[in-house]
Amino acid sequence: MKRSTGASRRRSGPGVWAIIGLAVLATGLGWAAGCGSAPEIVSKVASGDTDAVIAARGLTPDDVYAAVKTFVPTGQKDDYVMFSSGGHSGQVFVIGVPSMRLLKVIGVYTPEPWQGWGYSDETRAVLAGGNVRGKEINWADTHHPALSETGGEYDGEWLFINDKAQARVAVIDLRDFETKQILNNPITTSDHGGTFVTPDTEWVIEGGQYAAPLGTAYASIDKYAEEYRGMVTFWKFDRQAGRIDPDRSFAMELPPYWQDLCDAGKLVSDGWVFCNSFNTEMATGGIEEDNPPFEAGASQRDMDYLHVIDLKKAEELVAAGETVTVEGMKMLPLDVSAANGVLHFVPEPKSPHGVDLTPNGEYLVISGKLDPHVTVFSFEKIRQAIADGAFSGTDDYGVNIVDFDAALEKQIELGLGPLHTQFDDKGYAYTSLFLDTAVARWSLGGKSAGSHGDPDWTLIEKIPVHYNVGHIVAAEGDTVSPDGGYLVALNKWSIDRFLTVGPLHPQNFQLIDIAGTGESMKLLYDMPIGVGEPHYVQMIKADKLKAWEIYPEIGWNPLTQSKDEHAVMIGEEKVERRGNTVEVWMTAVRSHFTPERVNVRKGDNVIWHITNIESAKDATHGFALPGYNYNLSLEPGESTTIEFEADLGGVFTYYCSEFCSALHLEMVGYFLVAP
Ligand code: CUK
Ligand code: CUA
């Protein structure tokens, strides 16, 4: 095989070409029956066809390295799985790394027809949990997915995600990758600092965003300082039940600053929660009345306030009944929090956005959108300053402000528009730079110094990304033990990057190799994603996920994760009439529904139980009932019940909407609605 000099100088040496040869060989062997014999394939590689392909496609050695590094041959599996916010789609995307292949779209806040999400009674009931004061909402602005943790490590069991637009949180069970619960926060109208979990997932944190009167109250904007409030909510997660328990959850009333992102303490800072804020100016807009516009009014001060919350103390006060109730939610009043030292502020520069704890829980990295530095606070120093009463004053609401210099560990100049920070296994931090459109790698110092051998708290290098980068994610990069290896930049829009598909450009996930030390970050892969706008993503080791391939028992109800009381077993199929109610017990199996005819009269109440009685992995059946807006996805073993009024007269064919077998088209029945 010919070698280009460029390739032979690569850090990875001749391995690249050897691997390519092997990959082509392996693929060739797989195809051997249809595409010529193995010896022919070997001779093709040996004769330099690979080089010819590389030359014809104009690939550089870096391209070839990236291709080999990310290529996952057919049948092989990815090392990591990313759970990405689906942005406005209200869904969650599941993506393999390093292949960047989309594995699944999980329906969360919005209907997803293939999975029958929102097209069965049970899934509609979950979606209805997110209704706002009874009003159906059929979109979301999902921002931050959070994997459940045990001891600060992802445990692969649960996933949570917020909806900024309507202040909602959702719970997804990673046994079947289905949403189980959606809750609407009753005391606020928008959120942002969520979802984040405490190290053992006792609490799912939902911080607010835009201050408003609490609950459903109205107050004129002239009464902003008196009547508008921010908040953070601690949702109690009951792992046994697999649900958030609203009765054991509580909120904290906060000043009407706009709380932004939060992070939970871990290890040394376990039991504390940190949320930053902006608009401590309490700008209320009104450019039409000659007020400064929000973007100027909310950016006048050099410092806003990092909210430092003693969660353990808050829990004690809640247990002691120091709460008020707003719209059914327990809430710790602001004056109680301030007086009892539950809440402290630390000044943070300048238009803060991200707050991220280092893996050891000792340092907080704050990114100010208008400050070229990241600001690193020491948790130990903050706690000492609180203990010593080293305050520089109080805010208008009586909250003590920790002296900035007393809390500060370091400020590191990285570049323009720093937003979000992740970590690796070597003691490096990575920060997205929105205005620079780059990712900065910098070395942690102090108690976080790693094995990188670089001087403490130093910018090491930057890699340009395309285009404006928001969040970044590294492998397990916000846990107590990040993996390193891969980082993905979540870029907004992708000007000039892909084929033009109209004026709304795809988002762009860029996979970056961070396995090396020093100046060695390499761009590996561009993944345009035509659904937006994903904000945050988490990346978990694939082998931590223990998802079911089929449901554990025939007759399974995914909502209760147990056998359904109405499950229909083989031989139990029947149609019964009681007055105006017709009850159907049906089974689905390749390739028929039993019964195949259901006769009702217009206006009857129909109760229809359907069980997929198969236990083969590839035996999902759909159940489409046209006109009645039902489309069920019945995974092997799954059972569900629908109930409706037969208000459309005529003859309808219910059919299987999943190509399940050679006789799938025959998997059909007649639903006859007589006048
Ligand atoms: S946010 Cu979107 S780029 Cu909601 Cu975490 Cu920063
Ligand atoms: Cu069952 Cu198609």
Side-chain angles (χ1 to χ4, degrees), residues 448-601:
S448 293
S451 59
H452 45 68
D454 293 298
D456 283 358
W457 309 114
T458 308
L459 172 65
I460 306 295
E461 63 169 323
K462 292 193 225 179
I463 184 169
V465 291
H466 208 284
Y467 183 47
N468 294 351
V469 57
H471 276 273
I472 51 179
V473 61
E476 309 213 339
D478 63 2
T479 68
V480 294
S481 64
D483 278 15
Y486 297 111
L487 180 136
V488 175
L490 312 176
N491 308 325
K492 303 175 190 303
W493 313 300
S494 51
I495 317 299
D496 302 332
R497 202 71 342 195
F498 306 109
L499 295 174
T500 301
V501 290
L504 181 60
H505 300 265
Q507 312 276 322
N508 187 10
F509 284 13
Q510 287 193 302
L511 179 67
I512 296 169
D513 182 356
I514 57 165
T517 48
E519 300 189 13
S520 62
M521 287 193 287
K522 288 185 199 70
L523 184 63
L524 294 176
Y525 196 83
D526 277 19
M527 180 200 191
I529 184 152
V531 196
E533 173 199 347
H535 284 258
Y536 187 41
V537 168
Q538 287 185 327
M539 195 195 305
I540 181 175
K541 268 193 213 70
D543 62 13
K544 284 188 178 174
L545 297 167
K546 304 277 186 258
W548 292 329
E549 293 194 305
I550 57 165
Y551 281 115
E553 262 185 87
I554 304 287
W556 199 258
N557 180 335
L559 209 58
T560 59
Q561 298 290 37
S562 62
K563 188 164 168 177
D564 193 286
E565 56 172 325
H566 300 297
V568 188
M569 296 294 119
I570 200 154
E572 295 175 0
E573 302 92 342
K574 61 185 169 182
V575 180
E576 266 182 15
R577 170 176 286 280
R578 293 185 307 278
N580 285 336
T581 294
V582 176
E583 192 158 6
V584 183
W585 284 267
M586 173 180 279
T587 58
V589 70
R590 274 169 290 185
S591 304
H592 56 97
F593 292 112
T594 310
E596 291 187 329
R597 290 181 197 165
V598 174
N599 286 286
V600 304
R601 285 190 293 269

Side-chain angles (χ1 to χ4, degrees), residues 250-308:
F250 71 96
M252 275 176 64
E253 180 188 14
L254 296 173
Y257 312 143
W258 293 350
Q259 285 78 32
D260 199 22
L261 282 155
C262 298
D263 203 358
K266 50 188 151 191
L267 300 175
V268 293
S269 53
D270 192 4
W272 295 70
V273 171
F274 310 92
C275 300
N276 54 22
S277 67
F278 59 114
N279 197 19
T280 53
E281 296 85 350
M282 297 194 280
T284 55
I287 189 173
E288 60 284 355
E289 290 163 26
D290 289 332
N291 293 321
F294 271 119
E295 70 268 30
S299 308
Q300 293 167 46
R301 302 178 59 199
D302 283 337
M303 298 277 186
D304 291 291
Y305 296 132
L306 175 70
H307 296 37
V308 177

